[in-house]
Amino acid sequence: SAFKYCNGLTSLTLGANVVTIGAEAFANCQGLTTLTIPSKVKRLSAGTFYSCSSMVTVSLPAGVVYIGEDVFAYCTSLKSISVPKDHNKYKSVDGNLYNKQGVLIQYAAGKSEKSFVIPDDVKEIAQCAFYGAYSLETITIGANVESISGTPFYECTALKNFIVSDK
C-alpha cells in the first residue's frame, strides 16, 4: 500500500529492475492516468491498481506470470488492457484481460458499450471482473462458463439484462 490514496500522482514510471508490484501499491490513486510497467515485472499483486479511476490504457509486459485478484477493479476509465500476442499465460481480446486457461480476469470497465457477450471459451469469471462497468446494460454469459467467483458484477448499476446461454 506504499502509494495508496496518492490522488495527486498522475504519472508512474517504475525502475527497470522492479519485478513485483505489491498488494494495493497504487490503489485509489485516482489521478493516475499514465502507467509504464517495466519489462522485468513478473507479479502484479492483489489490488495493485484498484480504483485508479483515471487510468485509460494499460500495457502488460511479456514477463508477467502472475496477476492477483482485483488488480484493475474499479478502474472506471479503463478502455483497454493489452498483452503481447505471444504471451504464454495471458491474452487480451477487445481490450479485456483473460488468462489462457479460460478465466475472464478483467473487463475494461471504462468502455462505453451497453452490452457484452462473454466468449464461449471462458470457463470462469473472476472476482471483481466487472467492478465499475457502469455502462453495461446487458451481459450474456457464454455457454461454457462453469464458475463465477465472488461478486464480479458488483456496482454494475446500469445492468438490466443478464442472459445465460444454453450449452
Side-chain angles (χ1 to χ4, degrees), residues 36-116:
T36 302
I37 300 175
S39 62
K40 289 185 180 179
V41 168
K42 300 209 178 302
R43 296 179 58 86
L44 297 175
S45 302
T48 304
F49 300 104
Y50 184 94
S51 194
C52 289
S53 58
S54 296
M55 194 166 30
V56 177
T57 62
V58 173
S59 295
L60 299 177
V64 171
V65 294
Y66 175 80
I67 297 173
E69 287 187 345
D70 314 341
V71 170
F72 301 109
Y74 275 123
C75 292
T76 55
S77 296
L78 189 60
K79 296 186 185 318
S80 177
I81 304 165
S82 64
V83 178
K85 290 190 186 294
D86 60 347
H87 199 286
N88 61 354
K89 188 163 182 169
Y90 299 103
K91 65 181 180 176
S92 177
V93 178
D94 297 327
N96 302 309
L97 181 63
Y98 302 83
N99 74 20
K100 291 191 174 177
Q101 288 73 47
V103 178
L104 169 56
I105 296 171
Q106 187 66 57
Y107 174 82
K111 293 180 174 204
S112 60
E113 283 83 3
K114 302 287 184 210
S115 64
F116 180 67

Side-chain angles (χ1 to χ4, degrees), residues 130-136 139 152-160:
F130 290 90
Y131 273 33
Y134 299 128
S135 295
L136 283 178
I139 296 175
F153 306 105
Y154 183 72
E155 296 241 354
C156 289
T157 55
L159 190 60
K160 299 174 187 173

